[in-house]
Amino acid sequence: MDAERLIGVSRHALAKSADALEVIAEAWQAQALAQAIGNQLASAGPKELRGEARELGEAGGRGCGLPDQPGLSLGGVRALQLTGVSDPRGTLTALGVLLGEVGIALVAVACDTDEEGLYWQCIEAMDAADESNDRVGGILRRLAAREREREKERARDRESGWEWEWDGPTVR
């Protein structure tokens, strides 16, 4: 399943989470998805983003729960269904939204619980989601800088009489 579709499924599941353990399970699902997307971009994404994508994969891995945790074992780890990332910018933007929503849901659970263990579990999951979201933001900034540089190159080429087509330069 494409990354953006998996992110949509995760956002829907998070929105439908009815109790604290479901929210935590969805936080782990989101982290597993961040790990899988980071790993996918590190191996097959744009070369200049591979180092940062690897860091996203590592950050996502640090925030994942164990596969035998309640909620994860029922439906399995959703990220294992990832088949590819067709649009890195769109995928990372959507992943950032999901991670932000996870953080908000975890704050609500942490504020609502009297159980110290659950509270600290939420705090750790919030930290992990925040770290992954920081990595996503860094990659998106890098993509934007890359696109600005390409636009500058195209403008210089147009000024010099060259225009780039999808199959290479042509003189106009």
Side-chain angles (χ1 to χ4, degrees), residues 95-140:
L95 181 59
V97 170
L98 171 63
L99 291 168
E101 290 171 350
V102 162
I104 291 167
L106 288 167
V107 167
V109 170
C111 289
D112 193 43
T113 189
D114 293 330
E115 295 178 42
E116 186 175 349
L118 180 59
Y119 172 83
W120 286 109
Q121 208 172 9
C122 288
I123 297 301
E124 289 174 15
M126 283 187 291
D127 286 345
D130 188 49
E131 181 183 358
S132 292
N133 209 0
D134 286 347
R135 302 290 182 202
V136 167
I139 297 170
L140 284 170

Side-chain angles (χ1 to χ4, degrees), residues 6-7 14 22 26 39-40 47 50 63 68 73 75 91 103-104 111 121 126-127 130 144 150 158:
L6 275 172
I7 291 167
L14 177 64
E22 288 178 3
E26 287 306 320
N39 290 343
Q40 176 77 23
K47 289 182 182 179
R50 289 185 180 174
D68 62 348
S73 58
T91 296
I104 291 167
C111 289
Q121 208 172 9
M126 283 187 291
D127 286 345
D130 188 49
R150 285 186 177 165
R158 281 191 297 273

